[in-house]
Amino acid sequence: MSTMGTPGARGRFGEFGGRFVPEALMPACLELEGAFAEAWADPAFVAEFHDTLRLFGGRPTPVTPLARLSERLGLRVYAKREDLAHTGSHKINNVVGQTLLTRRMGKRRVIAETGAGQHGVATATAAARLGLECTVFMGEVDTKRQELNVFRMELLGARVVPVASGSRTLKDAVNEALREWVTCVADTHYCIGSVMGPHPFPWMVREFQRVIGDEARAQLEDLGVGVPEVVVACVGGGSNAAGVFAGFVDTPARLVGVEAAGGSAIGHGSPGVLHGMRSMLLQDEYGQIEEAQSISAGLDYPGIGPEHAHLAATGRAQYVAVGDDEVLGGLTLLSETEGIIPALETAHAVAWVARAAGRELAPGTTVLINLSGRGDKDVAQVREMLRGDA
Amino acid sequence: MTSLDDRLAAVRDGGRHALVPYLMAGARPDWVRLFEAAVAGGADAIEVGLPFSDPMMDGPVVQEAALAALAAGTTLDSVCATLGSLDLGVPLIAMTYCNVIYHVGLERAAGRLREAGVLGAILPDLALEELDEWAAVCDAGDLATVLMVAPSTPVERVARLTARSRGFVYAAARMAVTGTASGLGDGVAVVERVREVSSVPVYMGIGIATPEQARDAARVADGVIVGSALVRRVLDGQSAEDLESAVRALREALDEM
Ligand SMILES: Cc1ncc(COP(=O)(O)O)c(C=O)c1O
């Protein structure tokens, strides 16, 4: 397989990936693999996907030169503006693709997990547009942290199921969605929110997200920048990172994924099997999964997509971590210098660039940050945090 | 033929329907006593739950038992150390998730289980497509890999799964995670699909809770697996004697057949 190409029938990225699901779900995974491969090779489906992103999803999103931030950091920084996509993050790309595929497969309902609520809102949005029934599983801790997003999903006609098992965050929402999927797989698609889970999900979601990187590559050409020296994205499961990396993996650009320090599967994890995939995971010495800890619900995940585990193992991409304390600085920095309030997840990428400027990033380095989402959903939480600081 | 095949063939040859209770190791401090009670009540084998933090094939009851076992410090090694020092007199079949085994290493995990007298293992999240490595280790070490057939399994896969399952084939009675339910769901059809391609023993499980369900399942299946209904009793603090009676009621229902 070429780097970020099509994984083979086993869905492997080096030693990672695969399919670790109960037999009850295997026929659905095989069906999905066939349906996606066929749809993605069908120009009519691909055209419908891109038309929907254009007419409904707000694409293309611009690449914005960040002049004042660049001056402040001594770098040349550009931002790919996924915060301007419909529903406020890159998540819309994936759900438009998966809901179109759901309809093509003749299924009438989608289920999804969500952490911050962004993927849940995006799924509810795309489902409403196609008239699909939608149920979203969300950890109880997150339904409290992101109350407004729960209401948004309900406004969009979705049912939100709070998950009280385990750590009551994203990891358990995925467990619960998988358990639900077993019971309804005949007429329901599991619209997974990141480049994780069993094959073909990591591959399929990356392909739906690669529009980020493909667009940005052409836009930077048009701006006369050419290929940036560094491409940076935050990483929870890794879908926005995979999407932007896919556009630059065949260039000399250095690829950097920024994990939350408390959810750093590459930095502190080891290989294991969770949620249908073999990847890098936070786990104890007995293989029990540990809980991630992050102020951003969307990065509160003890694993990472298997393709990232592979990119890390081969050295093609580098993964770094940013602590909760630095994130707020990244958020206020971008807000004050550029008039863009990023999501807390996204602020991790900004914070790393700020930290690395003048150190790992030599003065004048050209950097593309994938601005995965806007910060509206986090404003109340940020206010609490800033008050706490004062 | 694995040792588990031999042991379970003997049950069938004896004209008996196999009763396989599922119990979580370490769910209570007296868990060994509960396993003994299940044997005294008439179990032909025991499915030994080894706890995992994220059991995707399990409903709330087994999840709760797993968390209790983990909170008590239960590990693969601690369970094997305990089981290895006992002789419960019936075959033991471990049920856990891939990560518990993969983390220890396939060969080491299989060796540890077999040394402790465990004759089989069920990893519900190990798909047929990922089976080769584990199956090779198990076959070499006389540990039976028991595979599941689900209501959603197409006929062509039923044959492939059945050919690679050891000991028995686990017929999942419904499209659901573990729990209690009424009736047999799709269980009869699943058993019949396996029968069409093989004469290996077929045991039905998933949602089988009562003696009536067990008896109905045994009209078509060679054995039944009863999990959540018994685990619920354990979590509710019932005594070993009560658990023994519950197992005996299942036994008597099967023996009426
Ligand atoms: C704005 C934003 N960025 C990033 C993420 C993390 O997801 P991923 O790593 O799949 O891009 C989330 C998840 O909720 C998000 O809302």
Side-chain angles (χ1 to χ4, degrees):
Chain A
M1 177 186 97
S2 64
T3 308
M4 300 195 92
T6 307
R10 286 184 72 196
R12 290 285 176 155
F13 305 96
E15 64 168 303
F16 301 106
R19 250 175 316 219
F20 295 85
V21 291
E23 169 58 20
L25 291 179
M26 266 313 293
C29 288
L30 293 167
E31 177 201 8
L32 182 64
E33 181 190 347
F36 171 67
E38 188 241 342
W40 209 227
D42 175 359
F45 180 85
V46 174
E48 189 180 21
F49 172 66
H50 286 291
D51 284 349
T52 309
L53 289 180
R54 185 166 50 87
L55 299 172
F56 175 70
R59 303 209 75 85
T61 59
V63 165
T64 305
L66 303 182
R68 293 205 334 118
L69 183 72
S70 294
E71 196 185 313
R72 178 80 67 93
L73 300 179
L75 304 169
R76 293 167 61 211
V77 188
Y78 296 83
K80 177 62 173 163
R81 301 293 306 280
E82 293 305 295
D83 60 314
L84 295 178
H86 185 33
T87 70
S89 83
H90 68 290
K91 301 278 177 188
I92 195 74
N93 308 326
N94 173 36
V95 296
V96 162
Q98 289 201 53
T99 51
L100 287 173
L101 192 59
T102 301
R103 190 174 66 180
R104 190 178 165 106
M105 288 189 295
K107 298 193 174 188
R108 58 163 197 92
R109 176 171 174 255
V110 287
I111 55 173
E113 84 294 341
T114 196
Q118 289 303 96
H119 174 61
V121 168
T123 306
T125 299
R129 185 169 171 281
L130 295 187
L132 300 169
E133 208 183 293
C134 177
T135 304
V136 179
F137 294 86
M138 189 170 185
E140 225 171 40
V141 171
D142 294 330
T143 58
K144 298 207 172 80
R145 282 202 278 203
Q146 299 286 348
E147 233 177 323
L148 264 184
N149 266 343
V150 173
F151 181 63
R152 259 182 211 118
M153 289 182 259
E154 289 168 352
L155 268 184
L156 292 160
R159 194 165 70 89
V160 179
V161 181
V163 174
S165 59
S167 64
R168 296 176 291 135
T169 62
L170 182 54
K171 154 178 105 71
D172 303 281
V174 177
N175 286 333
E176 221 42 53
L178 284 165
R179 290 176 188 129
E180 168 78 7
W181 200 29
V182 173
T183 70
C184 59
V185 64
D187 70 351
T188 300
H189 172 66
Y190 178 17
C191 184
I192 208 164
S194 192
V195 284
M196 57 191 204
H199 178 59
F201 285 103
W203 167 49
M204 177 178 72
V205 176
R206 179 250 284 165
E207 287 299 293
F208 288 144
Q209 291 291 3
R210 71 174 304 133
V211 64
I212 303 172
D214 291 343
E215 272 179 19
R217 175 104 175 247
Q219 289 164 319
L220 285 169
E221 265 329 309
D222 288 349
L223 286 170
V225 177
V227 172
E229 288 161 274
V230 186
V231 176
V232 185
C234 69
V235 176
S239 67
N240 87 86
V244 74
F245 289 178
F248 296 93
V249 73
D250 62 347
T251 73
R254 180 172 157 198
L255 308 176
V256 181
V258 185
E259 297 188 283
S264 171
I266 300 287
H268 301 298
S270 53
V273 176
L274 179 69
H275 296 155
M277 63 186 172
R278 183 172 154 79
S279 192
M280 296 293 283
L281 308 172
L282 296 180
Q283 55 187 327
D284 70 12
E285 59 181 303
Y286 305 106
Q288 306 297 341
I289 306 304
E290 291 183 327
E291 292 168 21
Q293 287 297 339
S294 168
I295 48 167
S296 69
L299 302 188
D300 231 348
Y301 185 65
I304 186 168
E307 189 161 37
H308 287 293
H310 179 57
L311 290 171
T314 61
R316 179 60 192 94
Q318 171 196 1
Y319 296 82
V320 296
V322 157
D324 286 354
D325 49 337
E326 291 169 279
V327 172
L328 215 46
L331 184 138
T332 51
L333 177 65
L334 191 69
S335 303
E336 289 166 13
T337 56
E338 295 293 341
I340 302 169
I341 302 176
L344 280 171
E345 292 80 10
T346 314
H348 285 72
V350 179
W352 181 77
V353 172
R355 187 216 290 166
R359 298 181 198 163
E360 289 135 283
L361 300 177
T365 303
T366 317
V367 179
L368 175 70
I369 304 179
N370 192 31
L371 282 198
S372 59
R374 68 178 182 228
D376 303 43
K377 70 180 171 61
D378 299 317
V379 166
Q381 190 187 343
V382 169
R383 181 175 60 177
E384 290 306 308
M385 286 157 48
L386 287 173
R387 277 185 182 159
D389 277 4
Chain B
M1 277 285 166
T2 64
S3 299
L4 187 66
D5 286 282
D6 293 341
R7 297 283 293 269
L8 297 182
V11 174
R12 183 160 73 175
D13 294 346
R16 207 169 140 99
H17 286 99
L19 174 59
V20 186
Y22 168 99
L23 294 169
M24 177 66 71
R28 268 179 27 190
D30 61 343
W31 65 272
V32 169
R33 176 77 196 87
L34 300 174
F35 278 42
E36 289 165 351
V39 175
D44 296 294
I46 294 183
E47 218 183 287
V48 183
L50 301 174
F52 178 51
S53 54
D54 293 79
M56 77 154 93
M57 190 58 199
D58 286 304
V61 173
V62 175
Q63 286 173 41
E64 190 183 333
L67 288 182
L70 288 174
T74 307
T75 66
L76 177 76
D77 279 345
S78 74
V79 173
C80 287
T82 305
L83 293 178
S85 66
L86 307 168
D87 182 7
L88 287 164
V90 299
L92 303 177
I93 302 150
M95 155 109 177
T96 189
Y97 288 82
C98 287
N99 204 45
V100 173
I101 299 295
Y102 279 56
H103 197 73
V104 171
L106 303 189
E107 283 181 18
R108 188 169 170 269
R112 219 44 209 99
L113 288 167
R114 196 60 186 76
E115 278 159 35
V118 175
L119 296 186
I122 306 174
L123 302 179
D125 58 340
L126 185 62
L128 179 62
E129 282 69 10
E130 298 288 347
L131 179 64
D132 291 357
E133 219 186 331
W134 173 239
V137 168
C138 288
D139 284 349
D142 188 35
L143 188 68
T145 8
V146 178
L147 301 183
M148 275 196 183
V149 171
S152 58
T153 307
V155 175
E156 154 281 322
R157 275 180 82 81
V158 173
R160 286 161 57 210
L161 285 162
T162 301
R164 303 200 59 183
S165 193
R166 305 278 179 268
F168 64 93
V169 169
Y170 194 134
R174 57 199 97 226
M175 294 296 288
V177 295
T178 58
T180 54
S182 58
L184 297 183
D186 302 315
V188 173
V190 175
V191 172
E192 283 170 353
R193 258 171 252 157
V194 177
R195 293 260 190 255
E196 274 171 30
V197 296
S198 170
S199 58
V200 294
V202 189
Y203 295 4
M204 196 193 297
I206 307 293
I208 298 188
T210 66
E212 294 69 36
Q213 284 171 295
R215 188 189 53 219
D216 291 345
R219 288 187 210 286
V220 293
D222 301 295
V224 296
I225 299 154
V226 180
S228 297
L230 298 173
V231 175
R232 181 73 267 159
R233 292 169 180 273
V234 172
L235 295 173
D236 287 347
Q238 290 194 8
S239 67
E241 290 69 31
D242 288 341
L243 187 73
E244 183 179 327
S245 316
V247 173
R248 180 161 301 114
L250 292 162
R251 173 82 265 155
E252 284 165 0
L254 291 182
D255 290 346
E256 276 171 29
M257 286 292 305

